[in-house]
Amino acid sequence: MRLPFIAAATTAALLASPASAQINVSFGQNERDGVCYFSVKGPGPKGGSEQFTLEFSYRVKDGNLGLDLKANSFPKAAKSDPEKNLNVKLETDAGNSKPSRSGGYESGYYQRIWAGWGAGEPSVPVMDLLKKAKIVHVVADGERYGPFDMQIKTLPWNSLNNCAKRVRGEPVN
């Protein structure tokens, strides 16, 4: 007979909790062709779109972590040399990454900065940052973009890691 009392007490506690305790989480995640994606929105570029989308991609077969910082209107990307190699890094509330192995500007459907840290070991420290970071800035070509709120510490890492497990056919926690 204790079960109805416990259920009633739990219900009363939930109803009494303040509205400010609600969490509104906004992110995107998906998987295509063995690549896992996690994305969030943040403030857009100077003179361009209102919002950027910051998207991390993780290629499961080799552990390569990539980044896309994209907007419909990104003036610096639109007028920059697409052949220029950019060193891109993440600044986070948990530490900073090493510069990417490769990166650049691209204009097409989106105007964007892209970056990749490389397969395997070079991507591990950046994945470790995503395990601890809540706020991320992207630094490239003398500019600092963001802040991008990862919503909950570990959310990007958990999303990419669990997706990779599903792709490999492993159990997901």
Side-chain angles (χ1 to χ4, degrees):
M1 289 301 161
R2 289 182 135 189
L3 190 55
F5 174 76
I6 293 171
T10 303
T11 302
L14 288 173
L15 292 174
S17 66
S20 63
Q22 294 177 351
I23 296 175
N24 184 14
V25 179
S26 177
F27 65 96
Q29 63 181 8
N30 64 50
E31 183 270 332
R32 289 184 313 273
D33 301 322
V35 180
C36 299
Y37 298 89
F38 176 87
S39 63
V40 294
K41 302 283 187 195
K46 295 175 193 166
S49 296
E50 202 171 295
Q51 286 188 322
F52 268 126
T53 298
L54 173 59
E55 180 178 73
F56 294 99
S57 59
Y58 183 76
R59 193 170 54 215
V60 176
K61 72 179 180 181
D62 63 5
N64 187 21
L65 182 70
L67 169 150
D68 268 330
L69 180 62
K70 55 191 174 184
N72 288 330
S73 175
F74 183 1
K76 187 164 186 170
K79 65 182 180 183
S80 292
D81 179 4
E83 299 298 318
K84 179 179 182 177
N85 186 41
L86 293 181
N87 289 320
V88 179
K89 74 176 193 176
L90 296 179
E91 290 182 351
T92 79
D93 55 347
N96 299 331
S97 76
K98 291 184 178 176
S100 61
R101 180 196 66 187
S102 58
Y105 290 107
E106 188 175 281
S107 289
Y109 183 75
Y110 290 106
Q111 296 169 343
R112 68 189 191 113
I113 290 175
W114 63 272
W117 277 267
E121 188 60 34
S123 289
V124 171
V126 186
M127 283 292 285
D128 286 345
L129 278 178
L130 293 179
K131 192 186 291 188
K132 303 172 201 161
K134 177 151 179 356
I135 303 297
V136 170
H137 288 85
V138 175
V139 179
D141 202 17
E143 298 285 337
R144 186 170 186 251
Y145 304 100
F148 297 92
D149 188 347
M150 300 293 108
Q151 313 292 310
I152 300 169
K153 285 184 182 184
T154 77
L155 182 60
W157 183 85
N158 277 322
S159 175
L160 295 170
N161 187 53
N162 287 336
C163 173
K165 285 180 178 181
R166 282 190 300 276
V167 169
R168 290 190 295 259
E170 299 171 4
V172 177
N173 301 359

